[in-house]
Amino acid sequence: MNQPDQAVSGAKDSHKSQQSGVGSTAAGLTLDAFALADRLKLFNFTRRDEGFLWVLRAVEQRRASHRPRLHVDDVAEALAELAAAHPDVPQEMNLRYMLDELVSDKVLAPSDDASRAGSLAAYRRRHTTYQFTELGYRAYTAVEDVLSTRSDEVSLSRLVFADVLADFRALAEANLTGDGEEVYRKLSRLDAVLADMTRRAARFYLMLDDLARGTDASPETFLRYKDALLAHMADFASDLARYAPRLAEAVHRVEASGVEVLLTRAAEADERVFATPQARLDDWRRRWQGLGDWFCPSAVRASDADQLQTATVSAIGGVVGLLRQVLEGRRSGVSRQTQLRHLAQWVMAAPDDDAAHAIISAGFNWRAIRHLSGSHADPELISNRLPWWQAPGVPLSVSMLRHGKRPSPGPPAPLRRADGARAMLRRRQLAARAAAEAAEAALAGGATDRILNPDEVAVLLRLLTMALETRTVVSGRLLTARASTASLRITLTPSPAGSVVRTAHGRLHLPGVAIALAKEPATRVRRRREGTDQ
């Protein structure tokens, strides 16, 4: 039953490039280690308890009702509705904690809802709303697709051949009349239908392979569905054989209307704004190549439709042979299942453990190890046809001969401390700290009346970043913001005139704020160094 899988692999390989747009799956292979770790972090909720999945289902339920942004009480209300229909929903959950954990995994995105705050204190309590991120929603839907997929819901799509033939004919007509939008629509539909046909074929033949492997355990299942299975494959093979020549003729008719003109029109009507025109044209050229390979054979290979036809006929023969084996096993009353049951009865009826072990060893061909074995340093130097008594010996350690254990690798190598490198890094750290302290001492006298050196600019930018992050807006006005290091404090005050700081590389303009730098009090500096400043 592995032959259909191998035969249909050509159809999957030929069409794999058709789904590769600007954001294709293959592009994910080019992610660096940090980006890949962030993507895999999206699936952390699958390793936690089941409550996280129900929280995401509640968010998805409200999203389907056109309410993407939810408060905690909205999620609780949706969970109550789910609990009424599904008894598996956990009753007690810390929603705020679970939502924040999903935010840290980047599955959800938080935002502050100021419309629900009636006062400044309520606003500062941050009435947070939650919604799916784009990648988080894709991760959730992927997990739900896996959980909801049933292995028996597979079939070969034979009813689409008439639609594919009509689309090819309409595509040729649209290309001849110069209707670019109709060309784009028909090509997109053909690409989607062919991708669905490829996925269905791959899943169907994989199901046949699983069915063949599980027949010994459940022959009743196979006998129950064998008539429908054979009829379905026979109908598909018949329709494919009937439509394949007409589809190949339709593809040639489209090619006669001008393939390059067709691809150019499809690329111009493509709505992917972030792709360059050349990228869109190359992508549609790859997709059309896949469509042509499906229905038109070449000089070196058969078409994918012919390969699929061969795989279906081979699968029908495999199913018939499997049916014959099942019926013969039932008629004789001896199958692998009955053999294992008889062996288990003999083992349970054995008088002692030694007899039970002897029966198991005989049934599964278990034998005790009668010799020591090892591998040669270069196995290719020894012929496989050489008898073991003529082959050169393999040296074995004394511990293996005397105690039957492999030699210990020995104690680990001593750790290299690299004192010189550590001392060099320590000197660099002390020099950087001394330069920062000198820059802070120089900035205490002001920053707008002289030209700052690079160290002073670095300290000033760090203080500006800390101060700008602490600014708040009250009644439409920006308040004064402050930030400080161990020995220097900066104060940002709203000012229409703004500030200008001169550096060795140019001027730094700070519109709307005036900056003031001052030295920290000695007592506060001492408390910070001692770690007692609250």
Side-chain angles (χ1 to χ4, degrees), residues 353-370:
D353 291 342
D354 294 336
H357 286 302
I359 294 174
I360 290 293
S361 300
F364 294 100
N365 196 22
W366 288 352
R367 297 181 180 179
I369 298 177
R370 298 180 180 178

Side-chain angles (χ1 to χ4, degrees), residues 55-61 63 68-69 106-109 130-138 140-141:
V55 169
L56 291 178
R57 286 171 176 168
V59 177
E60 165 62 12
Q61 185 188 56
R63 176 190 172 104
R69 300 176 61 182
K106 297 183 180 180
V107 179
L108 299 180
Y130 301 89
Q131 64 181 3
F132 273 114
T133 62
E134 178 62 25
L135 292 177
Y137 185 70
R138 288 174 179 263
Y140 164 74
T141 53

Side-chain angles (χ1 to χ4, degrees), residues 36 38 45 140 157 184 186 215 292 378 516:
L36 183 61
D38 288 340
F45 69 91
Y140 164 74
S157 53
Y184 173 72
K186 293 304 180 182
T215 301
D378 193 355

Side-chain angles (χ1 to χ4, degrees), residues 474-522:
V474 177
S475 300
R477 294 186 304 105
L478 287 172
L479 298 181
T480 301
R482 296 182 178 86
S484 61
T485 61
S487 60
L488 188 64
R489 175 185 292 270
I490 188 173
T491 303
L492 300 182
T493 307
S495 172
S499 302
V500 178
V501 178
R502 294 180 298 168
T503 69
H505 299 284
R507 296 173 180 266
L508 175 63
H509 294 269
L510 302 173
V513 293
I515 62 173
L517 296 167
K519 185 181 296 186
E520 282 279 16

Side-chain angles (χ1 to χ4, degrees), residues 65-119:
S65 303
H66 308 290
R67 294 175 57 187
R69 300 176 61 182
L70 303 177
H71 294 274
V72 178
D73 50 354
D74 297 330
V75 179
E77 180 182 354
L79 281 172
E81 296 176 3
L82 289 175
H86 304 279
D88 298 335
V89 179
Q91 298 298 324
E92 296 183 0
M93 291 186 291
N94 189 348
L95 287 182
R96 174 72 70 176
Y97 164 76
M98 299 173 77
L99 291 170
D100 289 339
E101 286 295 311
L102 292 171
V103 168
S104 66
D105 293 340
K106 297 183 180 180
V107 179
L108 299 180
S111 58
D112 295 334
D113 186 8
S115 62
R116 295 171 61 97
S119 62

Side-chain angles (χ1 to χ4, degrees), residues 242-260:
R242 183 160 52 96
Y243 276 98
R246 299 156 66 182
L247 288 169
E249 181 183 357
V251 172
H252 290 310
R253 185 179 303 174
V254 174
E255 292 176 346
S257 66
V259 174
E260 287 300 323

Side-chain angles (χ1 to χ4, degrees), residues 119-130:
S119 62
L120 179 61
Y123 173 78
R124 288 177 176 173
R125 283 198 296 268
R126 295 179 62 209
H127 288 269
T128 305
T129 59
Y130 301 89

